[in-house]
PDB file of all heavy atoms in Angstrom:
ATOM      1  N   ALA A 146       7.830  37.886  15.293  1.00  0.00           N
ATOM      2  CA  ALA A 146       7.828  36.537  14.737  1.00  0.00           C
ATOM      3  C   ALA A 146       9.026  35.756  15.294  1.00  0.00           C
ATOM      4  O   ALA A 146      10.121  36.285  15.448  1.00  0.00           O
ATOM      5  CB  ALA A 146       7.904  36.614  13.218  1.00  0.00           C
ATOM      6  N   THR A 147       8.794  34.474  15.616  1.00  0.00           N
ATOM      7  CA  THR A 147       9.886  33.683  16.199  1.00  0.00           C
ATOM      8  C   THR A 147      10.692  32.962  15.098  1.00  0.00           C
ATOM      9  O   THR A 147      10.232  32.827  13.964  1.00  0.00           O
ATOM     10  CB  THR A 147       9.314  32.593  17.125  1.00  0.00           C
ATOM     11  OG1 THR A 147       8.533  31.665  16.332  1.00  0.00           O
ATOM     12  CG2 THR A 147       8.435  33.183  18.220  1.00  0.00           C
ATOM     13  N   VAL A 148      11.869  32.508  15.523  1.00  0.00           N
ATOM     14  CA  VAL A 148      12.686  31.707  14.627  1.00  0.00           C
ATOM     15  C   VAL A 148      11.944  30.397  14.304  1.00  0.00           C
ATOM     16  O   VAL A 148      12.045  29.851  13.221  1.00  0.00           O
ATOM     17  CB  VAL A 148      14.062  31.423  15.276  1.00  0.00           C
ATOM     18  CG1 VAL A 148      14.889  30.464  14.422  1.00  0.00           C
ATOM     19  CG2 VAL A 148      14.816  32.726  15.491  1.00  0.00           C
ATOM     20  N   GLY A 149      11.141  29.928  15.288  1.00  0.00           N
ATOM     21  CA  GLY A 149      10.343  28.724  15.063  1.00  0.00           C
ATOM     22  C   GLY A 149       9.367  28.902  13.918  1.00  0.00           C
ATOM     23  O   GLY A 149       9.165  28.002  13.115  1.00  0.00           O
ATOM     24  N   LEU A 150       8.776  30.076  13.839  1.00  0.00           N
ATOM     25  CA  LEU A 150       7.866  30.334  12.728  1.00  0.00           C
ATOM     26  C   LEU A 150       8.623  30.331  11.393  1.00  0.00           C
ATOM     27  O   LEU A 150       8.122  29.842  10.385  1.00  0.00           O
ATOM     28  CB  LEU A 150       7.156  31.688  12.930  1.00  0.00           C
ATOM     29  CG  LEU A 150       6.005  32.007  11.955  1.00  0.00           C
ATOM     30  CD1 LEU A 150       4.835  31.035  12.142  1.00  0.00           C
ATOM     31  CD2 LEU A 150       5.511  33.431  12.145  1.00  0.00           C
ATOM     32  N   PHE A 151       9.846  30.830  11.441  1.00  0.00           N
ATOM     33  CA  PHE A 151      10.690  30.862  10.248  1.00  0.00           C
ATOM     34  C   PHE A 151      11.032  29.436   9.779  1.00  0.00           C
ATOM     35  O   PHE A 151      11.000  29.138   8.583  1.00  0.00           O
ATOM     36  CB  PHE A 151      11.962  31.664  10.546  1.00  0.00           C
ATOM     37  CG  PHE A 151      12.873  31.818   9.370  1.00  0.00           C
ATOM     38  CD1 PHE A 151      12.493  32.539   8.249  1.00  0.00           C
ATOM     39  CD2 PHE A 151      14.143  31.251   9.378  1.00  0.00           C
ATOM     40  CE1 PHE A 151      13.344  32.670   7.168  1.00  0.00           C
ATOM     41  CE2 PHE A 151      15.005  31.376   8.301  1.00  0.00           C
ATOM     42  CZ  PHE A 151      14.610  32.088   7.183  1.00  0.00           C
ATOM     43  N   THR A 152      11.341  28.558  10.725  1.00  0.00           N
ATOM     44  CA  THR A 152      11.773  27.202  10.333  1.00  0.00           C
ATOM     45  C   THR A 152      10.588  26.231  10.297  1.00  0.00           C
ATOM     46  O   THR A 152      10.787  25.025  10.064  1.00  0.00           O
ATOM     47  CB  THR A 152      12.858  26.649  11.269  1.00  0.00           C
ATOM     48  OG1 THR A 152      12.327  26.580  12.586  1.00  0.00           O
ATOM     49  CG2 THR A 152      14.079  27.525  11.290  1.00  0.00           C
ATOM     50  N   TYR A 153       9.395  26.730  10.531  1.00  0.00           N
ATOM     51  CA  TYR A 153       8.180  25.919  10.512  1.00  0.00           C
ATOM     52  C   TYR A 153       8.117  24.956   9.298  1.00  0.00           C
ATOM     53  O   TYR A 153       7.878  23.749   9.474  1.00  0.00           O
ATOM     54  CB  TYR A 153       6.993  26.893  10.508  1.00  0.00           C
ATOM     55  CG  TYR A 153       5.614  26.342  10.400  1.00  0.00           C
ATOM     56  CD1 TYR A 153       4.679  26.500  11.412  1.00  0.00           C
ATOM     57  CD2 TYR A 153       5.190  25.686   9.244  1.00  0.00           C
ATOM     58  CE1 TYR A 153       3.387  26.008  11.305  1.00  0.00           C
ATOM     59  CE2 TYR A 153       3.911  25.197   9.126  1.00  0.00           C
ATOM     60  CZ  TYR A 153       3.019  25.358  10.145  1.00  0.00           C
ATOM     61  OH  TYR A 153       1.752  24.870  10.028  1.00  0.00           O
ATOM     62  N   PRO A 154       8.349  25.437   8.068  1.00  0.00           N
ATOM     63  CA  PRO A 154       8.235  24.511   6.931  1.00  0.00           C
ATOM     64  C   PRO A 154       9.275  23.386   6.967  1.00  0.00           C
ATOM     65  O   PRO A 154       9.040  22.317   6.438  1.00  0.00           O
ATOM     66  CB  PRO A 154       8.511  25.419   5.702  1.00  0.00           C
ATOM     67  CG  PRO A 154       8.322  26.820   6.188  1.00  0.00           C
ATOM     68  CD  PRO A 154       8.653  26.811   7.636  1.00  0.00           C
ATOM     69  N   ILE A 155      10.411  23.644   7.615  1.00  0.00           N
ATOM     70  CA  ILE A 155      11.477  22.633   7.661  1.00  0.00           C
ATOM     71  C   ILE A 155      11.098  21.519   8.627  1.00  0.00           C
ATOM     72  O   ILE A 155      11.412  20.336   8.390  1.00  0.00           O
ATOM     73  CB  ILE A 155      12.824  23.313   8.024  1.00  0.00           C
ATOM     74  CG1 ILE A 155      13.098  24.463   7.066  1.00  0.00           C
ATOM     75  CG2 ILE A 155      13.959  22.284   7.995  1.00  0.00           C
ATOM     76  CD1 ILE A 155      14.222  25.379   7.485  1.00  0.00           C
ATOM     77  N   LEU A 156      10.384  21.848   9.693  1.00  0.00           N
ATOM     78  CA  LEU A 156       9.841  20.818  10.570  1.00  0.00           C
ATOM     79  C   LEU A 156       8.806  19.978   9.799  1.00  0.00           C
ATOM     80  O   LEU A 156       8.724  18.754   9.959  1.00  0.00           O
ATOM     81  CB  LEU A 156       9.225  21.461  11.824  1.00  0.00           C
ATOM     82  CG  LEU A 156       8.585  20.514  12.839  1.00  0.00           C
ATOM     83  CD1 LEU A 156       9.600  19.504  13.377  1.00  0.00           C
ATOM     84  CD2 LEU A 156       7.988  21.306  14.001  1.00  0.00           C
ATOM     85  N   GLN A 157       8.041  20.662   8.981  1.00  0.00           N
ATOM     86  CA  GLN A 157       7.050  19.948   8.167  1.00  0.00           C
ATOM     87  C   GLN A 157       7.729  18.977   7.198  1.00  0.00           C
ATOM     88  O   GLN A 157       7.233  17.877   6.961  1.00  0.00           O
ATOM     89  CB  GLN A 157       6.178  20.958   7.398  1.00  0.00           C
ATOM     90  CG  GLN A 157       5.061  20.323   6.620  1.00  0.00           C
ATOM     91  CD  GLN A 157       4.038  21.348   6.131  1.00  0.00           C
ATOM     92  OE1 GLN A 157       4.042  22.513   6.543  1.00  0.00           O
ATOM     93  NE2 GLN A 157       3.168  20.923   5.237  1.00  0.00           N
ATOM     94  N   VAL A 158       8.884  19.391   6.665  1.00  0.00           N
ATOM     95  CA  VAL A 158       9.658  18.498   5.810  1.00  0.00           C
ATOM     96  C   VAL A 158      10.007  17.221   6.566  1.00  0.00           C
ATOM     97  O   VAL A 158       9.817  16.107   6.079  1.00  0.00           O
ATOM     98  CB  VAL A 158      10.962  19.210   5.351  1.00  0.00           C
ATOM     99  CG1 VAL A 158      11.930  18.210   4.710  1.00  0.00           C
ATOM    100  CG2 VAL A 158      10.636  20.351   4.399  1.00  0.00           C
ATOM    101  N   ALA A 159      10.481  17.397   7.806  1.00  0.00           N
ATOM    102  CA  ALA A 159      10.849  16.234   8.631  1.00  0.00           C
ATOM    103  C   ALA A 159       9.622  15.359   8.898  1.00  0.00           C
ATOM    104  O   ALA A 159       9.699  14.125   8.817  1.00  0.00           O
ATOM    105  CB  ALA A 159      11.456  16.700   9.951  1.00  0.00           C
ATOM    106  N   ASP A 160       8.486  15.975   9.164  1.00  0.00           N
ATOM    107  CA  ASP A 160       7.240  15.218   9.404  1.00  0.00           C
ATOM    108  C   ASP A 160       6.999  14.227   8.252  1.00  0.00           C
ATOM    109  O   ASP A 160       6.632  13.088   8.477  1.00  0.00           O
ATOM    110  CB  ASP A 160       6.009  16.165   9.400  1.00  0.00           C
ATOM    111  CG  ASP A 160       5.998  17.131  10.558  1.00  0.00           C
ATOM    112  OD1 ASP A 160       6.708  16.890  11.553  1.00  0.00           O
ATOM    113  OD2 ASP A 160       5.253  18.145  10.447  1.00  0.00           O
ATOM    114  N   ILE A 161       7.128  14.741   7.059  1.00  0.00           N
ATOM    115  CA  ILE A 161       6.769  13.967   5.866  1.00  0.00           C
ATOM    116  C   ILE A 161       7.820  12.888   5.576  1.00  0.00           C
ATOM    117  O   ILE A 161       7.510  11.737   5.342  1.00  0.00           O
ATOM    118  CB  ILE A 161       6.598  14.909   4.673  1.00  0.00           C
ATOM    119  CG1 ILE A 161       5.458  15.908   4.917  1.00  0.00           C
ATOM    120  CG2 ILE A 161       6.383  14.124   3.373  1.00  0.00           C
ATOM    121  CD1 ILE A 161       5.400  17.088   3.943  1.00  0.00           C
ATOM    122  N   LEU A 162       9.105  13.297   5.643  1.00  0.00           N
ATOM    123  CA  LEU A 162      10.178  12.360   5.261  1.00  0.00           C
ATOM    124  C   LEU A 162      10.331  11.221   6.259  1.00  0.00           C
ATOM    125  O   LEU A 162      10.680  10.092   5.879  1.00  0.00           O
ATOM    126  CB  LEU A 162      11.493  13.113   5.101  1.00  0.00           C
ATOM    127  CG  LEU A 162      11.504  14.171   3.974  1.00  0.00           C
ATOM    128  CD1 LEU A 162      12.893  14.779   3.826  1.00  0.00           C
ATOM    129  CD2 LEU A 162      11.029  13.572   2.632  1.00  0.00           C
ATOM    130  N   LEU A 163      10.063  11.475   7.536  1.00  0.00           N
ATOM    131  CA  LEU A 163      10.171  10.425   8.548  1.00  0.00           C
ATOM    132  C   LEU A 163       9.372   9.202   8.207  1.00  0.00           C
ATOM    133  O   LEU A 163       9.728   8.087   8.557  1.00  0.00           O
ATOM    134  CB  LEU A 163       9.641  10.947   9.890  1.00  0.00           C
ATOM    135  CG  LEU A 163      10.595  11.591  10.881  1.00  0.00           C
ATOM    136  CD1 LEU A 163       9.822  11.961  12.132  1.00  0.00           C
ATOM    137  CD2 LEU A 163      11.763  10.677  11.235  1.00  0.00           C
ATOM    138  N   TYR A 164       8.234   9.408   7.533  1.00  0.00           N
ATOM    139  CA  TYR A 164       7.313   8.300   7.252  1.00  0.00           C
ATOM    140  C   TYR A 164       7.457   7.793   5.829  1.00  0.00           C
ATOM    141  O   TYR A 164       6.712   6.918   5.397  1.00  0.00           O
ATOM    142  CB  TYR A 164       5.867   8.713   7.567  1.00  0.00           C
ATOM    143  CG  TYR A 164       5.762   9.043   9.047  1.00  0.00           C
ATOM    144  CD1 TYR A 164       5.998  10.330   9.521  1.00  0.00           C
ATOM    145  CD2 TYR A 164       5.568   8.021   9.978  1.00  0.00           C
ATOM    146  CE1 TYR A 164       6.004  10.591  10.863  1.00  0.00           C
ATOM    147  CE2 TYR A 164       5.580   8.287  11.320  1.00  0.00           C
ATOM    148  CZ  TYR A 164       5.802   9.580  11.767  1.00  0.00           C
ATOM    149  OH  TYR A 164       5.835   9.838  13.113  1.00  0.00           O
ATOM    150  N   GLN A 165       8.442   8.316   5.098  1.00  0.00           N
ATOM    151  CA  GLN A 165       8.654   7.883   3.693  1.00  0.00           C
ATOM    152  C   GLN A 165       7.329   7.961   2.919  1.00  0.00           C
ATOM    153  O   GLN A 165       6.993   7.042   2.151  1.00  0.00           O
ATOM    154  CB  GLN A 165       9.202   6.439   3.656  1.00  0.00           C
ATOM    155  CG  GLN A 165      10.407   6.198   4.524  1.00  0.00           C
ATOM    156  CD  GLN A 165      11.706   6.793   3.940  1.00  0.00           C
ATOM    157  OE1 GLN A 165      11.681   7.537   2.955  1.00  0.00           O
ATOM    158  NE2 GLN A 165      12.830   6.478   4.541  1.00  0.00           N
ATOM    159  N   ALA A 166       6.614   9.071   3.157  1.00  0.00           N
ATOM    160  CA  ALA A 166       5.288   9.198   2.547  1.00  0.00           C
ATOM    161  C   ALA A 166       5.374   9.352   1.028  1.00  0.00           C
ATOM    162  O   ALA A 166       6.250  10.064   0.531  1.00  0.00           O
ATOM    163  CB  ALA A 166       4.572  10.396   3.135  1.00  0.00           C
ATOM    164  N   ASN A 167       4.498   8.658   0.307  1.00  0.00           N
ATOM    165  CA  ASN A 167       4.414   8.827  -1.134  1.00  0.00           C
ATOM    166  C   ASN A 167       3.583  10.046  -1.496  1.00  0.00           C
ATOM    167  O   ASN A 167       3.862  10.731  -2.474  1.00  0.00           O
ATOM    168  CB  ASN A 167       3.771   7.589  -1.790  1.00  0.00           C
ATOM    169  CG  ASN A 167       4.509   6.331  -1.435  1.00  0.00           C
ATOM    170  OD1 ASN A 167       4.133   5.592  -0.524  1.00  0.00           O
ATOM    171  ND2 ASN A 167       5.588   6.084  -2.135  1.00  0.00           N
ATOM    172  N   GLU A 168       2.525  10.291  -0.702  1.00  0.00           N
ATOM    173  CA  GLU A 168       1.640  11.410  -1.002  1.00  0.00           C
ATOM    174  C   GLU A 168       1.251  12.147   0.269  1.00  0.00           C
ATOM    175  O   GLU A 168       1.174  11.550   1.364  1.00  0.00           O
ATOM    176  CB  GLU A 168       0.378  10.917  -1.712  1.00  0.00           C
ATOM    177  CG  GLU A 168       0.667  10.454  -3.137  1.00  0.00           C
ATOM    178  CD  GLU A 168      -0.578   9.938  -3.806  1.00  0.00           C
ATOM    179  OE1 GLU A 168      -1.057   8.848  -3.414  1.00  0.00           O
ATOM    180  OE2 GLU A 168      -1.090  10.640  -4.708  1.00  0.00           O
ATOM    181  N   VAL A 169       0.975  13.448   0.097  1.00  0.00           N
ATOM    182  CA  VAL A 169       0.642  14.284   1.243  1.00  0.00           C
ATOM    183  C   VAL A 169      -0.668  15.033   0.946  1.00  0.00           C
ATOM    184  O   VAL A 169      -0.677  15.986   0.157  1.00  0.00           O
ATOM    185  CB  VAL A 169       1.776  15.304   1.515  1.00  0.00           C
ATOM    186  CG1 VAL A 169       1.505  16.098   2.786  1.00  0.00           C
ATOM    187  CG2 VAL A 169       3.123  14.596   1.606  1.00  0.00           C
ATOM    188  N   PRO A 170      -1.783  14.574   1.507  1.00  0.00           N
ATOM    189  CA  PRO A 170      -3.067  15.233   1.232  1.00  0.00           C
ATOM    190  C   PRO A 170      -3.228  16.552   2.013  1.00  0.00           C
ATOM    191  O   PRO A 170      -3.284  16.553   3.245  1.00  0.00           O
ATOM    192  CB  PRO A 170      -4.095  14.193   1.692  1.00  0.00           C
ATOM    193  CG  PRO A 170      -3.402  13.328   2.679  1.00  0.00           C
ATOM    194  CD  PRO A 170      -1.940  13.369   2.346  1.00  0.00           C
ATOM    195  N   VAL A 171      -3.260  17.646   1.266  1.00  0.00           N
ATOM    196  CA  VAL A 171      -3.352  18.992   1.850  1.00  0.00           C
ATOM    197  C   VAL A 171      -4.115  19.924   0.926  1.00  0.00           C
ATOM    198  O   VAL A 171      -4.441  19.542  -0.193  1.00  0.00           O
ATOM    199  CB  VAL A 171      -1.917  19.609   2.031  1.00  0.00           C
ATOM    200  CG1 VAL A 171      -1.156  18.941   3.168  1.00  0.00           C
ATOM    201  CG2 VAL A 171      -1.112  19.511   0.735  1.00  0.00           C
ATOM    202  N   GLY A 172      -4.367  21.128   1.396  1.00  0.00           N
ATOM    203  CA  GLY A 172      -4.937  22.183   0.580  1.00  0.00           C
ATOM    204  C   GLY A 172      -3.827  22.915  -0.170  1.00  0.00           C
ATOM    205  O   GLY A 172      -2.628  22.729   0.089  1.00  0.00           O
ATOM    206  N   GLU A 173      -4.246  23.753  -1.103  1.00  0.00           N
ATOM    207  CA  GLU A 173      -3.319  24.460  -1.983  1.00  0.00           C
ATOM    208  C   GLU A 173      -2.246  25.273  -1.207  1.00  0.00           C
ATOM    209  O   GLU A 173      -1.106  25.364  -1.625  1.00  0.00           O
ATOM    210  CB  GLU A 173      -4.119  25.421  -2.901  1.00  0.00           C
ATOM    211  CG  GLU A 173      -3.310  26.172  -3.913  1.00  0.00           C
ATOM    212  CD  GLU A 173      -2.596  25.261  -4.892  1.00  0.00           C
ATOM    213  OE1 GLU A 173      -3.139  24.235  -5.306  1.00  0.00           O
ATOM    214  OE2 GLU A 173      -1.432  25.618  -5.265  1.00  0.00           O
TER     215      GLU A 173
END
Side-chain angles (χ1 to χ4, degrees):
T147 64
V148 175
L150 189 65
F151 183 65
T152 61
Y153 176 117
I155 306 168
L156 179 59
Q157 184 167 348
V158 168
D160 294 341
I161 298 167
L162 297 184
L163 268 182
Y164 298 90
Q165 308 285 10
N167 304 98
E168 289 179 290
V169 186
V171 288
E173 183 61 38

